Amino acid sequence: MPAKIHISANGEFCDEDGSVIQLRGVNLDPSVKIPAKPFLSTHAPISDSTFFDDADKVSFINHPLIPEDIEQHIIRLKSLGYNTIRFPFTWESLEHAGPGQYDFDYMDYVIEVLTKINSAQQGMYVYLDPHQDVWSRFSGGSGAPLWTLYCAGFQPANFLATEAAILHNYYIDPKTGREVDKDEESYLKMVWPTNYFKLACQTMFTLFFGGKQFAPKCIINGKNIQDYLQGKFNDAIMALCKRIKDKAPELFESNCVIGLESINEPNCGYIGETNLDAIPKERDLKLGRTPTAFQSFLLGEGIECTVDQYKKTFFGFSKGKPCTVNPKGKKAWLSAQERDMIDAKYNWERNPEWKPNTCIWKLHGVWETQENKSPVLLKPNYFSQIDETIFINNHFVEYYTGIYKKFRAFDKELFIIIQPPVMKPPPNLQNSEILDNRTICACHFYDGMTLMYKTWNKRIGIDTYGLVNKKYLNPAFAVVLGENNIRKCIRKQLSEMQKDAKAMLGKKVPVFFTEIGIPFDMDDKKAYITNDYSSQTAALDALGFALEGSNLSYSLWCYCSINSHAWGDNWNNEDFSIWSPDDKPLYHNTQSKTPTREPSPASTAVSVSTPKSKSSSLSQPPSFIKPHGKLELDSPSCTLEIDLSGFRALDAIMRPFPIKIHGTFEFAEFNLHNKSYLLKIIGKTTPERTTVPTYIFVPRHHFTPSHLSIRSSSGHYTYNANYQVLEWFHESGYQFIEICVKSRSRCSTPGSDDSNDLPAECIIS
Ligand SMILES: CC(C)CCC[C@@H](C)[C@H]1CC[C@H]2[C@@H]3CC=C4C[C@@H](O[C@@H]5O[C@H](CO)[C@@H](O)[C@H](O)[C@H]5O)CC[C@]4(C)[C@H]3CC[C@]12C
């Protein structure tokens, strides 16, 4: 069983003896964003009202995985040395039928999936992610059930006409099943996040986090809508956790399920907007038709508006021709009759002041209409706050306190992972009662250029984190030139994110990149025809380089079991999966060796030692080959079966890393081009000669066992090729190890500045 994960005084993941460990893996998987029955990907056209009428009858069973296939997927992930899975699920999957009406069959299916993950060889660490994107499927993303939008008084069937949200589904021609692809009418690449600035999503997040302050009239069943929604959301998450504990307590006891993350990518909605009559200057993302907040209120009430339109150009987003949107009499709000029916169905009783068929922001006096006059924005600064940190330190903290308390009442030892808004620092919680020693901070990182342009630009890069956090007086200063500088800039961004998080939460809180990834459909999907994934490999290598430089734990976005070249991850045209059934032939085409589903021959296990080092008390015979047996390693990073088929950009995904350091981490770098790996650590001081090694994942894919060449500052090693694990028994204090392949006379890892004081090189023969 995997060892229990502890946290060191410096906020690193470690075992009970303080040996530093790294959590590495994927988000498994994005198919949880869409129902499985009926299969409703975002490229299912909406041709009639069943999309909405039957939303309470869907089932998510079989998303993320078909139970029979689980072991094979887990073996594949373990083949990369991965030990951890971020397990997204949606509120909708648990409570689609109506408030408090849980889908226990789905919960039991989740338990089945987790149990199978746990029993696949040494299992995997799993943490749960209540996932959302732009609130829900019905507002262009994933997450919340349809009834939450009804609860706010919305009529989602009219979001298309009022442009309250942009849904991929509306861009599919029901006759052909293909995407409409006519310039301004097409669904633009990465347009879905613009929903964060549209009426539906922005209102929902404002109500969820700040309903009591900004929408006091929105009272439902005696509660402000903020408390109502947060209560239902938290209860649904806890219902799943409790069901797991009741039905399969071993999943917690055996360290399979290790924790829960707070809501994915929380968003401030309108909170903090200073002028509802303008597009905020600080908004980095402007694409397609872009109404101001006030214009979106008007459109929501069926009033025609002429709105700005933005295009992506070489220089970022630039304004094009304005465009007139005419909702043709439709409103984004439920009519009196519709709302009566909905309220009767869900047993809702609303505050009589809450008028139907009316924008709730009009109801709260933000704007008004008078007969024969143009609508007037009365309070352009209604959501304005004294400074930008108000949302994170107040509204977000209030929400987080709710889930924290419920989760801690349920369990004191599991991790709780706090996730601030994307690319922003967390709240200042030092000395707060809601920060404990089993808390982790989640960060997400996406490189703006790679994400928006879907290409790996080796010449020009952007300090995305710096840009988003307004660290530059002029955005032009965020530009970096040349691939090396771009790589270093990404590394600096991740390390700054870690530093900023620790400045807010304290150094004892580990930072975990629970999402990081790249689009694979780069360069207009060229790789799917040419099989040349070099752009994707370079982009992923840059992320790997950045992460390993600080020994950061991470979960790549994503592994999608139903990925296809045609529709990517089956959601909003995204294609972030590191694996695709459509790429299964790739491995055979590009590799000389075929994947093994069996242990490799024993003769590939080799063991070498360095010559006695200057200060060494660990002198060993110059070299020996130890017949290897089972590895004494309680990490899920080990597998005897290896299956690499279907991975894309495998060279960059498959990386050496320290599974467990007998000591603490100093530095690491994997050089993909010359296949060399350098690790620097501070070995633990132990009174006796140490018998505890540092375990390093050394993938055979890069390091052919018969050609391994290793040198280090001290100690000896045993390479177990079956498990792809190197055991390095070293001395205490500053230590390094360099691993490369034998063709070169010496290892020459960039970043290594030790070349002069190295002991004699040791090469395995
Ligand atoms: C020169 C460039 C054009 C400058 C770009 C500046 C901005 C437009 C971008 C800077 C930061 C970007 C945001 C970073 C992170 C995001 C989160 C992401 O959601 C998660 O990612 C997965 C892949 O998209 C998704 O499937 C998961 O479900 C999500 O959890 C969505 C995009 C974005 C908001 C991104 C948008 C563009 C920037 C603001």
Side-chain angles (χ1 to χ4, degrees), residues 444-467:
H444 286 184
F445 178 82
Y446 291 94
D447 174 54
M449 285 285 282
T450 312
L451 196 71
M452 297 313 294
Y453 291 100
K454 296 206 183 194
T455 188
W456 174 242
N457 191 328
K458 292 183 182 165
R459 283 185 221 114
I460 304 174
I462 299 266
D463 173 358
T464 309
Y465 183 63
L467 190 78

PDB file of all heavy atoms in Angstrom, residues 444-467:
ATOM      1  N   HIS A 444      -2.570  26.721 -10.895  1.00  0.00           N
ATOM      2  CA  HIS A 444      -2.732  26.265 -12.288  1.00  0.00           C
ATOM      3  C   HIS A 444      -1.843  27.127 -13.163  1.00  0.00           C
ATOM      4  O   HIS A 444      -1.786  28.340 -12.979  1.00  0.00           O
ATOM      5  CB  HIS A 444      -4.182  26.424 -12.753  1.00  0.00           C
ATOM      6  CG  HIS A 444      -5.083  25.390 -12.150  1.00  0.00           C
ATOM      7  ND1 HIS A 444      -6.411  25.275 -12.481  1.00  0.00           N
ATOM      8  CD2 HIS A 444      -4.841  24.412 -11.244  1.00  0.00           C
ATOM      9  CE1 HIS A 444      -6.938  24.273 -11.802  1.00  0.00           C
ATOM     10  NE2 HIS A 444      -6.010  23.746 -11.032  1.00  0.00           N
ATOM     11  N   PHE A 445      -1.194  26.492 -14.112  1.00  0.00           N
ATOM     12  CA  PHE A 445      -0.384  27.301 -15.033  1.00  0.00           C
ATOM     13  C   PHE A 445      -0.642  26.904 -16.482  1.00  0.00           C
ATOM     14  O   PHE A 445      -0.584  25.728 -16.852  1.00  0.00           O
ATOM     15  CB  PHE A 445       1.119  27.144 -14.744  1.00  0.00           C
ATOM     16  CG  PHE A 445       1.948  27.950 -15.723  1.00  0.00           C
ATOM     17  CD1 PHE A 445       2.152  29.309 -15.527  1.00  0.00           C
ATOM     18  CD2 PHE A 445       2.479  27.368 -16.874  1.00  0.00           C
ATOM     19  CE1 PHE A 445       2.868  30.070 -16.450  1.00  0.00           C
ATOM     20  CE2 PHE A 445       3.197  28.117 -17.801  1.00  0.00           C
ATOM     21  CZ  PHE A 445       3.399  29.482 -17.584  1.00  0.00           C
ATOM     22  N   TYR A 446      -0.932  27.903 -17.284  1.00  0.00           N
ATOM     23  CA  TYR A 446      -0.986  27.733 -18.736  1.00  0.00           C
ATOM     24  C   TYR A 446      -0.215  28.888 -19.356  1.00  0.00           C
ATOM     25  O   TYR A 446      -0.359  30.031 -18.912  1.00  0.00           O
ATOM     26  CB  TYR A 446      -2.440  27.734 -19.246  1.00  0.00           C
ATOM     27  CG  TYR A 446      -3.198  26.505 -18.803  1.00  0.00           C
ATOM     28  CD1 TYR A 446      -3.973  26.519 -17.642  1.00  0.00           C
ATOM     29  CD2 TYR A 446      -3.093  25.322 -19.506  1.00  0.00           C
ATOM     30  CE1 TYR A 446      -4.638  25.379 -17.210  1.00  0.00           C
ATOM     31  CE2 TYR A 446      -3.759  24.172 -19.089  1.00  0.00           C
ATOM     32  CZ  TYR A 446      -4.524  24.209 -17.941  1.00  0.00           C
ATOM     33  OH  TYR A 446      -5.175  23.077 -17.519  1.00  0.00           O
ATOM     34  N   ASP A 447       0.604  28.580 -20.337  1.00  0.00           N
ATOM     35  CA  ASP A 447       1.345  29.634 -21.022  1.00  0.00           C
ATOM     36  C   ASP A 447       0.386  30.316 -22.012  1.00  0.00           C
ATOM     37  O   ASP A 447      -0.132  29.660 -22.922  1.00  0.00           O
ATOM     38  CB  ASP A 447       2.544  29.002 -21.751  1.00  0.00           C
ATOM     39  CG  ASP A 447       3.260  30.020 -22.601  1.00  0.00           C
ATOM     40  OD1 ASP A 447       3.641  31.071 -22.066  1.00  0.00           O
ATOM     41  OD2 ASP A 447       3.421  29.783 -23.811  1.00  0.00           O
ATOM     42  N   GLY A 448       0.156  31.619 -21.790  1.00  0.00           N
ATOM     43  CA  GLY A 448      -0.839  32.364 -22.572  1.00  0.00           C
ATOM     44  C   GLY A 448      -0.635  32.238 -24.068  1.00  0.00           C
ATOM     45  O   GLY A 448      -1.589  32.018 -24.814  1.00  0.00           O
ATOM     46  N   MET A 449       0.606  32.334 -24.496  1.00  0.00           N
ATOM     47  CA  MET A 449       0.900  32.284 -25.936  1.00  0.00           C
ATOM     48  C   MET A 449       0.531  30.915 -26.514  1.00  0.00           C
ATOM     49  O   MET A 449      -0.139  30.813 -27.545  1.00  0.00           O
ATOM     50  CB  MET A 449       2.402  32.517 -26.181  1.00  0.00           C
ATOM     51  CG  MET A 449       2.848  33.942 -26.010  1.00  0.00           C
ATOM     52  SD  MET A 449       2.352  34.959 -27.387  1.00  0.00           S
ATOM     53  CE  MET A 449       3.542  34.523 -28.612  1.00  0.00           C
ATOM     54  N   THR A 450       0.997  29.867 -25.849  1.00  0.00           N
ATOM     55  CA  THR A 450       0.764  28.505 -26.352  1.00  0.00           C
ATOM     56  C   THR A 450      -0.734  28.200 -26.372  1.00  0.00           C
ATOM     57  O   THR A 450      -1.257  27.599 -27.323  1.00  0.00           O
ATOM     58  CB  THR A 450       1.495  27.485 -25.455  1.00  0.00           C
ATOM     59  OG1 THR A 450       2.823  27.946 -25.253  1.00  0.00           O
ATOM     60  CG2 THR A 450       1.513  26.112 -26.062  1.00  0.00           C
ATOM     61  N   LEU A 451      -1.397  28.650 -25.310  1.00  0.00           N
ATOM     62  CA  LEU A 451      -2.821  28.363 -25.163  1.00  0.00           C
ATOM     63  C   LEU A 451      -3.656  29.074 -26.230  1.00  0.00           C
ATOM     64  O   LEU A 451      -4.525  28.484 -26.861  1.00  0.00           O
ATOM     65  CB  LEU A 451      -3.245  28.863 -23.775  1.00  0.00           C
ATOM     66  CG  LEU A 451      -4.546  28.373 -23.210  1.00  0.00           C
ATOM     67  CD1 LEU A 451      -4.401  26.912 -22.828  1.00  0.00           C
ATOM     68  CD2 LEU A 451      -4.912  29.167 -21.959  1.00  0.00           C
ATOM     69  N   MET A 452      -3.375  30.356 -26.419  1.00  0.00           N
ATOM     70  CA  MET A 452      -4.235  31.144 -27.295  1.00  0.00           C
ATOM     71  C   MET A 452      -3.897  30.954 -28.773  1.00  0.00           C
ATOM     72  O   MET A 452      -4.771  30.991 -29.621  1.00  0.00           O
ATOM     73  CB  MET A 452      -4.151  32.639 -26.951  1.00  0.00           C
ATOM     74  CG  MET A 452      -4.646  32.992 -25.557  1.00  0.00           C
ATOM     75  SD  MET A 452      -6.228  32.276 -25.052  1.00  0.00           S
ATOM     76  CE  MET A 452      -7.385  33.050 -26.135  1.00  0.00           C
ATOM     77  N   TYR A 453      -2.595  30.773 -29.076  1.00  0.00           N
ATOM     78  CA  TYR A 453      -2.221  30.653 -30.492  1.00  0.00           C
ATOM     79  C   TYR A 453      -2.107  29.199 -30.950  1.00  0.00           C
ATOM     80  O   TYR A 453      -1.928  28.926 -32.132  1.00  0.00           O
ATOM     81  CB  TYR A 453      -0.920  31.403 -30.778  1.00  0.00           C
ATOM     82  CG  TYR A 453      -1.100  32.905 -30.673  1.00  0.00           C
ATOM     83  CD1 TYR A 453      -0.715  33.586 -29.529  1.00  0.00           C
ATOM     84  CD2 TYR A 453      -1.696  33.617 -31.709  1.00  0.00           C
ATOM     85  CE1 TYR A 453      -0.909  34.959 -29.425  1.00  0.00           C
ATOM     86  CE2 TYR A 453      -1.891  34.986 -31.617  1.00  0.00           C
ATOM     87  CZ  TYR A 453      -1.497  35.651 -30.467  1.00  0.00           C
ATOM     88  OH  TYR A 453      -1.696  37.002 -30.368  1.00  0.00           O
ATOM     89  N   LYS A 454      -2.180  28.285 -30.007  1.00  0.00           N
ATOM     90  CA  LYS A 454      -2.068  26.857 -30.319  1.00  0.00           C
ATOM     91  C   LYS A 454      -0.872  26.579 -31.208  1.00  0.00           C
ATOM     92  O   LYS A 454      -0.990  25.954 -32.274  1.00  0.00           O
ATOM     93  CB  LYS A 454      -3.357  26.328 -30.946  1.00  0.00           C
ATOM     94  CG  LYS A 454      -4.528  26.397 -29.987  1.00  0.00           C
ATOM     95  CD  LYS A 454      -5.580  25.372 -30.320  1.00  0.00           C
ATOM     96  CE  LYS A 454      -6.773  25.492 -29.395  1.00  0.00           C
ATOM     97  NZ  LYS A 454      -7.669  24.397 -29.414  1.00  0.00           N
ATOM     98  N   THR A 455       0.254  27.073 -30.760  1.00  0.00           N
ATOM     99  CA  THR A 455       1.512  26.785 -31.438  1.00  0.00           C
ATOM    100  C   THR A 455       2.620  26.960 -30.413  1.00  0.00           C
ATOM    101  O   THR A 455       2.414  27.614 -29.381  1.00  0.00           O
ATOM    102  CB  THR A 455       1.708  27.725 -32.651  1.00  0.00           C
ATOM    103  OG1 THR A 455       2.842  27.297 -33.388  1.00  0.00           O
ATOM    104  CG2 THR A 455       1.919  29.178 -32.236  1.00  0.00           C
ATOM    105  N   TRP A 456       3.780  26.372 -30.646  1.00  0.00           N
ATOM    106  CA  TRP A 456       4.916  26.605 -29.757  1.00  0.00           C
ATOM    107  C   TRP A 456       5.804  27.633 -30.451  1.00  0.00           C
ATOM    108  O   TRP A 456       6.474  27.326 -31.428  1.00  0.00           O
ATOM    109  CB  TRP A 456       5.673  25.311 -29.468  1.00  0.00           C
ATOM    110  CG  TRP A 456       6.936  25.535 -28.682  1.00  0.00           C
ATOM    111  CD1 TRP A 456       8.201  25.260 -29.091  1.00  0.00           C
ATOM    112  CD2 TRP A 456       7.055  26.067 -27.355  1.00  0.00           C
ATOM    113  NE1 TRP A 456       9.098  25.594 -28.103  1.00  0.00           N
ATOM    114  CE2 TRP A 456       8.424  26.097 -27.019  1.00  0.00           C
ATOM    115  CE3 TRP A 456       6.130  26.549 -26.396  1.00  0.00           C
ATOM    116  CZ2 TRP A 456       8.911  26.561 -25.797  1.00  0.00           C
ATOM    117  CZ3 TRP A 456       6.608  27.012 -25.175  1.00  0.00           C
ATOM    118  CH2 TRP A 456       7.965  27.007 -24.884  1.00  0.00           C
ATOM    119  N   ASN A 457       5.743  28.848 -29.947  1.00  0.00           N
ATOM    120  CA  ASN A 457       6.508  29.925 -30.560  1.00  0.00           C
ATOM    121  C   ASN A 457       7.884  29.980 -29.893  1.00  0.00           C
ATOM    122  O   ASN A 457       8.007  30.346 -28.734  1.00  0.00           O
ATOM    123  CB  ASN A 457       5.756  31.254 -30.375  1.00  0.00           C
ATOM    124  CG  ASN A 457       6.360  32.364 -31.202  1.00  0.00           C
ATOM    125  OD1 ASN A 457       7.572  32.380 -31.427  1.00  0.00           O
ATOM    126  ND2 ASN A 457       5.530  33.284 -31.647  1.00  0.00           N
ATOM    127  N   LYS A 458       8.899  29.599 -30.659  1.00  0.00           N
ATOM    128  CA  LYS A 458      10.251  29.525 -30.090  1.00  0.00           C
ATOM    129  C   LYS A 458      10.904  30.894 -30.025  1.00  0.00           C
ATOM    130  O   LYS A 458      11.948  31.058 -29.412  1.00  0.00           O
ATOM    131  CB  LYS A 458      11.148  28.657 -30.971  1.00  0.00           C
ATOM    132  CG  LYS A 458      10.764  27.231 -30.959  1.00  0.00           C
ATOM    133  CD  LYS A 458      11.730  26.431 -31.794  1.00  0.00           C
ATOM    134  CE  LYS A 458      11.232  25.009 -31.763  1.00  0.00           C
ATOM    135  NZ  LYS A 458      11.716  24.114 -32.669  1.00  0.00           N
ATOM    136  N   ARG A 459      10.296  31.850 -30.727  1.00  0.00           N
ATOM    137  CA  ARG A 459      10.965  33.159 -30.806  1.00  0.00           C
ATOM    138  C   ARG A 459      10.426  34.136 -29.778  1.00  0.00           C
ATOM    139  O   ARG A 459      11.174  34.819 -29.121  1.00  0.00           O
ATOM    140  CB  ARG A 459      10.779  33.744 -32.209  1.00  0.00           C
ATOM    141  CG  ARG A 459      11.708  33.063 -33.173  1.00  0.00           C
ATOM    142  CD  ARG A 459      11.659  33.672 -34.551  1.00  0.00           C
ATOM    143  NE  ARG A 459      11.694  32.569 -35.511  1.00  0.00           N
ATOM    144  CZ  ARG A 459      10.706  32.259 -36.311  1.00  0.00           C
ATOM    145  NH1 ARG A 459       9.598  32.956 -36.298  1.00  0.00           N
ATOM    146  NH2 ARG A 459      10.807  31.239 -37.124  1.00  0.00           N
ATOM    147  N   ILE A 460       9.091  34.164 -29.664  1.00  0.00           N
ATOM    148  CA  ILE A 460       8.504  35.166 -28.766  1.00  0.00           C
ATOM    149  C   ILE A 460       7.666  34.479 -27.689  1.00  0.00           C
ATOM    150  O   ILE A 460       6.824  33.631 -27.984  1.00  0.00           O
ATOM    151  CB  ILE A 460       7.585  36.138 -29.544  1.00  0.00           C
ATOM    152  CG1 ILE A 460       8.379  36.771 -30.684  1.00  0.00           C
ATOM    153  CG2 ILE A 460       7.011  37.217 -28.626  1.00  0.00           C
ATOM    154  CD1 ILE A 460       7.553  37.624 -31.609  1.00  0.00           C
ATOM    155  N   GLY A 461       7.924  34.876 -26.464  1.00  0.00           N
ATOM    156  CA  GLY A 461       7.137  34.357 -25.358  1.00  0.00           C
ATOM    157  C   GLY A 461       6.653  35.514 -24.498  1.00  0.00           C
ATOM    158  O   GLY A 461       7.059  36.654 -24.681  1.00  0.00           O
ATOM    159  N   ILE A 462       5.759  35.176 -23.558  1.00  0.00           N
ATOM    160  CA  ILE A 462       5.185  36.207 -22.675  1.00  0.00           C
ATOM    161  C   ILE A 462       5.257  35.700 -21.246  1.00  0.00           C
ATOM    162  O   ILE A 462       4.983  34.522 -20.987  1.00  0.00           O
ATOM    163  CB  ILE A 462       3.685  36.426 -23.019  1.00  0.00           C
ATOM    164  CG1 ILE A 462       3.489  36.915 -24.449  1.00  0.00           C
ATOM    165  CG2 ILE A 462       2.998  37.327 -22.019  1.00  0.00           C
ATOM    166  CD1 ILE A 462       3.390  38.404 -24.616  1.00  0.00           C
ATOM    167  N   ASP A 463       5.602  36.556 -20.346  1.00  0.00           N
ATOM    168  CA  ASP A 463       5.535  36.211 -18.920  1.00  0.00           C
ATOM    169  C   ASP A 463       4.053  36.288 -18.527  1.00  0.00           C
ATOM    170  O   ASP A 463       3.551  37.338 -18.124  1.00  0.00           O
ATOM    171  CB  ASP A 463       6.397  37.199 -18.124  1.00  0.00           C
ATOM    172  CG  ASP A 463       6.238  37.017 -16.620  1.00  0.00           C
ATOM    173  OD1 ASP A 463       5.440  36.159 -16.208  1.00  0.00           O
ATOM    174  OD2 ASP A 463       6.897  37.752 -15.871  1.00  0.00           O
ATOM    175  N   THR A 464       3.364  35.170 -18.703  1.00  0.00           N
ATOM    176  CA  THR A 464       1.907  35.165 -18.508  1.00  0.00           C
ATOM    177  C   THR A 464       1.532  35.537 -17.079  1.00  0.00           C
ATOM    178  O   THR A 464       0.637  36.347 -16.847  1.00  0.00           O
ATOM    179  CB  THR A 464       1.333  33.771 -18.854  1.00  0.00           C
ATOM    180  OG1 THR A 464       1.810  33.391 -20.146  1.00  0.00           O
ATOM    181  CG2 THR A 464      -0.164  33.766 -18.859  1.00  0.00           C
ATOM    182  N   TYR A 465       2.232  34.940 -16.111  1.00  0.00           N
ATOM    183  CA  TYR A 465       1.911  35.202 -14.698  1.00  0.00           C
ATOM    184  C   TYR A 465       2.156  36.679 -14.376  1.00  0.00           C
ATOM    185  O   TYR A 465       1.345  37.327 -13.711  1.00  0.00           O
ATOM    186  CB  TYR A 465       2.761  34.298 -13.802  1.00  0.00           C
ATOM    187  CG  TYR A 465       2.458  34.440 -12.324  1.00  0.00           C
ATOM    188  CD1 TYR A 465       1.205  34.115 -11.815  1.00  0.00           C
ATOM    189  CD2 TYR A 465       3.435  34.892 -11.429  1.00  0.00           C
ATOM    190  CE1 TYR A 465       0.931  34.245 -10.456  1.00  0.00           C
ATOM    191  CE2 TYR A 465       3.171  35.014 -10.075  1.00  0.00           C
ATOM    192  CZ  TYR A 465       1.913  34.694  -9.593  1.00  0.00           C
ATOM    193  OH  TYR A 465       1.640  34.827  -8.241  1.00  0.00           O
ATOM    194  N   GLY A 466       3.246  37.209 -14.901  1.00  0.00           N
ATOM    195  CA  GLY A 466       3.566  38.621 -14.689  1.00  0.00           C
ATOM    196  C   GLY A 466       2.508  39.521 -15.304  1.00  0.00           C
ATOM    197  O   GLY A 466       2.069  40.503 -14.715  1.00  0.00           O
ATOM    198  N   LEU A 467       2.067  39.141 -16.508  1.00  0.00           N
ATOM    199  CA  LEU A 467       1.061  39.927 -17.233  1.00  0.00           C
ATOM    200  C   LEU A 467      -0.270  39.924 -16.473  1.00  0.00           C
ATOM    201  O   LEU A 467      -0.863  40.969 -16.213  1.00  0.00           O
ATOM    202  CB  LEU A 467       0.877  39.327 -18.625  1.00  0.00           C
ATOM    203  CG  LEU A 467       0.073  40.113 -19.620  1.00  0.00           C
ATOM    204  CD1 LEU A 467       0.927  41.241 -20.190  1.00  0.00           C
ATOM    205  CD2 LEU A 467      -0.386  39.215 -20.778  1.00  0.00           C
TER     206      LEU A 467
END
